[in-house]
Amino acid sequence: MTMKTTSLPSGEAVPVFGLGTWKMGEDPRAAAAEADALRLGLDLGASLIDTAEMYGNAEAVVGEAIAGRRDGVFIVSKVLPSNASRSGTIAACERSLKRLATDRIDLYLLHWRGGTPLGETVEAFETLKAAGKIRHWGVSNFDTDDMEELFALSAGDGCQTNQVLYNLSRRGPEFDLLPWCRQRGMPVMAYSPVEQGRLARSAKLGAIAARHGATPAQIALAWAMAQPGTIAIPKASSPQHVRQNIAALDIDLTSGDLAELDRAFAPPARKKPLEMI
């Protein structure tokens, strides 16, 4: 397995595959096993972990998993829009740092837009960056008009990524959002790249999976990572699932495979509102 990378606008290389943590830590009895799964992912070269303050105790699970190896991990976390004022963002970041047991977050995102003016949140991000609390910042669930508004702000073009719902069955961002980001050298992080497991059961992926000796879920992940400037962040809380997900990095989809996937999951022919889950 070779870990492929893409670049942030800052020039820093980041993996195109990350470890998702949504709902981790919700069951204390499973937390140790979840941390072990993250450690396995790190051992196998998946050095990017995505989490958020909204994910309950997931940040604490991440903190346990990265203990003793922090310098080899790229941590992404998120602030809730209800906390996204100038002072609220800074306070939320401090709480996340404590749960993560680290002195810095590599990429800190606004989870989605709320009532706070974007300028306030950007100012807070820049303050945190200057203080060394975060290294980069970005956004999540922003559509093209949101990105335009963001980039019109002072320091708004410091945004390093946009994390959105994007997979074979949710291709709406391809119409204008993904091209907009690519024109600016900004990778998109694709959350739920297997559509919360639904694509793993899709008969439409069966024939391609059989040709590659793979599973439908692995084909869905390989497709996401084959899209230029796209980082896939599936969740896996068991060793077997982690290994299966990471194995998708070794799948090279052919032009014929991609054409077949386009027929099965048609690209958007018009603008659609950005979807969220």
Side-chain angles (χ1 to χ4, degrees):
M1 185 276 295
T2 300
M3 183 55 68
K4 303 165 188 172
T5 63
T6 188
S7 293
L8 300 176
S10 69
E12 182 169 348
V14 292
V16 301
F17 177 93
L19 303 167
T21 64
W22 186 45
K23 292 190 175 182
M24 282 191 180
E26 290 188 352
D27 182 352
R29 296 168 297 180
E34 290 166 343
D36 284 342
L38 292 176
R39 288 191 197 97
L40 174 61
L42 295 174
D43 291 341
L44 294 175
S47 59
L48 186 153
I49 299 179
D50 176 81
T51 189
E53 67 170 342
M54 190 189 81
Y55 299 168
N57 293 319
E59 286 178 322
V61 174
V62 173
E64 182 179 345
I66 66 173
R69 60 195 306 174
R70 172 65 183 92
D71 290 345
V73 185
F74 190 94
I75 296 175
V76 183
S77 195
K78 311 177 194 74
V79 57
L80 283 164
S82 56
N83 292 331
S85 65
R86 288 184 190 89
S87 60
T89 299
I90 292 169
C93 182
E94 293 287 0
R95 292 192 297 270
S96 287
L97 289 170
K98 186 175 181 179
R99 287 188 291 267
L100 290 161
T102 184
D103 62 349
R104 68 201 183 277
I105 294 170
D106 297 291
L107 180 57
Y108 198 40
L109 312 181
L110 173 60
H111 211 146
W112 65 89
R113 289 201 68 171
T116 301
L118 283 178
E120 278 196 41
T121 309
V122 171
E123 286 179 19
F125 283 159
E126 289 293 323
T127 298
L128 288 166
K129 186 176 175 182
K133 302 289 187 178
I134 65 174
R135 296 180 55 241
H136 308 287
W137 63 266
V139 295
S140 181
N141 297 301
F142 270 44
D143 210 340
T144 310
D145 56 346
D146 299 310
M147 296 303 294
E148 292 278 10
E149 183 179 342
L150 175 65
F151 268 58
L153 297 173
S154 175
D157 60 356
C159 180
Q160 298 293 303
T161 193
N162 184 11
Q163 185 177 128
V164 298
L165 177 60
Y166 178 49
N167 58 49
L168 274 167
S169 63
R170 310 259 197 169
R171 297 183 65 173
E174 292 178 13
F175 188 79
D176 61 348
L177 179 59
L178 267 60
W180 191 97
C181 292
R182 288 169 184 156
Q183 287 170 7
R184 290 155 182 81
M186 181 189 304
V188 167
M189 300 184 74
Y191 73 80
S192 293
V194 191
E195 186 62 13
Q196 297 183 300
R198 284 185 282 275
L199 286 170
R201 301 183 292 274
S202 173
K204 296 178 180 179
L205 298 174
I208 296 174
R211 288 200 296 271
H212 287 273
T215 66
Q218 288 172 325
I219 297 301
L221 286 173
W223 176 87
M225 292 184 287
Q227 307 310 304
T230 300
I231 302 166
I233 47 170
K235 175 194 171 185
S237 52
S238 72
Q240 181 184 12
H241 199 181
V242 170
R243 292 183 186 278
Q244 288 176 343
N245 284 349
I246 291 179
L249 284 155
D250 283 335
I251 298 173
D252 290 319
L253 297 174
T254 67
S255 58
D257 292 332
L258 294 171
E260 186 174 333
L261 290 169
D262 282 347
R263 290 191 294 272
F265 302 91
R270 57 181 176 79
K271 171 70 177 176
K272 298 180 180 179
L274 188 67
E275 297 179 279
M276 291 176 57
I277 57 172

